Amino acid sequence: MQRFITALFLAFLLQGVLAGHPHVNYVRHRSRQPTSQVHPRAGTTYKLQDIYQGQSFFHGWDFFTGADPTNGNVDFVSQSEATSSGLAYVQSDNTTVIAVDDKSTVAVGGNRKSVRIQSKKTYTQGLFIADFYSMPHGCGVWPAWWSTGPNWPAGGEIDVVEGVNLGQTNQMTLHTSDGCALDTAAAFTGHTLDTTCASSGGDNSGCGVEDTNDNSYGHGFNIIAGGVFAHLWDDNGISVWHFPRGSIPADITAQTPDPSGWGNPAASWASSSCNIGSHFYDHSLVIDTTICGDWAGAAYASSGCPNTCAEAVADPSNFATAKWNVNYIAVYK
Ligand SMILES: *[C@@H]1O[C@H](CO)[C@@H](O)[C@H](O)[C@H]1NC(C)=O
């Protein structure tokens, strides 16, 4: 039994090494010394700049139809195909559904239809609030709510919501060019996965932080009707908060958000070890769901999913819960 467990453990480690993916990293550093430094400064007021919600939700987004850069088994469809196939639509209650095809059978190892949208507007800094009633999850499924700048990784990437397969906690990650690190002295509640944000050559894992709350991702997120992810991006740093549906601060609901009253974020990257202004600019906002590929595929077996990811992609019933249900995305300045 011990030998079996050791073999399992080695296989698990090897998965991470072989994956070579931006987002896979099992090294943890927990010797953090929290300080009193808190990213949001009191007294800043934020004004609503854009809100994507309701019947006009998709007016502000383009549908990306290129190959998935993370090698997923997906065909990202155009807006007209997404609309006619029921993969992107606004419901009569004003919530927006962004789904993976859960009706068609595809070949083992083939591609399944999915959606990736990116905002027409680009943003440099701001306070971003995303309210989701549900997010995609399940074996082979890899959803993300994120933003990315030009000339990756020069313009930076902020992964606000991301996970794979049967994962139960959200992973938040920055990707940058050289010279940006996560300062573990900043006050935040998540577990640090890696402190090197620079993504290049063989190491694309970025500087990730894992939420500690089981309501932050997948089934656990959906079963309580989701919640809000808020992230503040300014000269002092980038911080991400997660609020379960029942504990969304009243100032968020009232559209007068004040992050200085929200307590410690789940993740925070302070400007003390990363020049935010030079590493992050002109970001498009992105919502997508891919399948298998560099992370969900590589971590498939160690996630406790049956058979292979190539087999999972073939069966539409595996994607019944692979849906985003968006209340709104708001951007404040
Ligand atoms: C949906 O949004 C429209 C436009 O803002 C509003 O008039 C309508 O009452 C909303 N419907 C629901 C069910 O909230």
Side-chain angles (χ1 to χ4, degrees):
M1 192 60 186
Q2 181 58 47
R3 187 178 300 168
F4 175 69
I5 289 170
T6 305
L8 258 186
F9 180 67
L10 285 176
F12 177 75
L13 281 182
L14 204 57
Q15 284 281 350
V17 174
L18 293 180
H21 181 260
H23 312 166
V24 179
N25 197 308
Y26 298 109
V27 180
R28 303 199 174 186
H29 311 268
R30 297 194 184 198
S31 55
R32 199 169 49 223
Q33 301 290 320
T35 67
S36 56
Q37 181 193 343
V38 174
H39 170 203
R41 305 281 160 89
T44 309
T45 54
Y46 296 91
K47 273 210 166 106
L48 186 64
Q49 183 186 12
D50 292 304
I51 184 160
Y52 302 96
Q53 183 179 30
Q55 303 306 313
S56 62
F57 180 90
F58 288 108
H59 296 179
W61 305 77
D62 291 320
F63 283 62
F64 173 91
T65 55
D68 175 16
T70 59
N71 303 305
N73 286 96
V74 286
D75 287 328
F76 289 127
V77 298
S78 66
Q79 180 159 17
S80 59
E81 185 168 1
T83 305
S84 63
S85 314
L87 300 185
Y89 55 97
V90 183
Q91 306 190 106
S92 57
D93 67 359
N94 287 337
T95 66
T96 297
V97 175
I98 302 165
V100 173
D101 175 7
D102 65 350
K103 298 190 173 59
S104 317
T105 298
V106 305
V108 171
N111 284 355
R112 178 166 291 284
K113 287 176 183 172
S114 186
V115 172
R116 169 171 161 157
I117 58 171
Q118 58 192 55
S119 62
K120 292 181 196 281
K121 277 198 182 180
T122 59
Y123 300 92
T124 299
Q125 307 201 347
L127 174 61
F128 302 81
I129 299 188
D131 185 321
F132 302 116
Y133 285 112
S134 70
M135 70 169 67
H137 69 99
C139 286
V141 177
W142 174 4
W145 153 236
W146 54 295
S147 69
T148 184
N151 307 318
W152 192 94
E157 175 180 326
I158 304 172
D159 300 327
V160 182
V161 177
E162 193 174 24
V164 295
N165 299 318
L166 303 177
Q168 295 184 312
T169 49
N170 182 38
Q171 193 162 313
M172 302 151 280
T173 309
L174 302 186
H175 298 274
T176 66
S177 54
D178 284 346
C180 173
L182 167 61
D183 181 351
T184 56
F188 57 93
T189 60
H191 294 308
T192 300
L193 301 172
D194 198 316
T195 57
T196 304
C197 305
S199 296
S200 61
D203 181 9
N204 288 336
S205 56
C207 47
V209 175
E210 185 182 4
D211 203 313
T212 55
N213 185 327
D214 279 358
N215 293 133
S216 64
Y217 184 81
H219 178 69
F221 180 84
N222 296 348
I223 205 164
I224 59 160
V228 160
F229 294 94
H231 66 284
L232 175 63
W233 163 16
D234 62 24
D235 279 335
N236 300 317
I238 295 171
S239 295
V240 180
W241 289 261
H242 163 241
F243 302 109
R245 177 66 51 200
S247 3
I248 298 169
D251 57 6
I252 288 184
T253 309
Q255 297 191 344
T256 54
D258 177 9
S260 69
W262 295 346
N264 285 343
S268 187
W269 296 265
S271 57
S272 48
S273 58
C274 182
N275 184 326
I276 302 294
S278 68
H279 285 292
F280 297 90
Y281 49 88
D282 298 337
H283 276 209
S284 305
L285 311 178
V286 187
I287 301 173
D288 79 290
T289 309
T290 188
I291 301 170
C292 304
D294 293 341
W295 189 13
Y300 188 83
S302 60
S303 300
C305 288
N307 306 314
T308 64
C309 208
E311 288 166 289
V313 75
D315 180 356
S317 70
N318 287 326
F319 301 92
T321 58
K323 291 176 172 54
W324 292 96
N325 189 325
V326 185
N327 182 5
Y328 67 84
I329 307 280
V331 182
Y332 294 83
K333 285 282 177 187

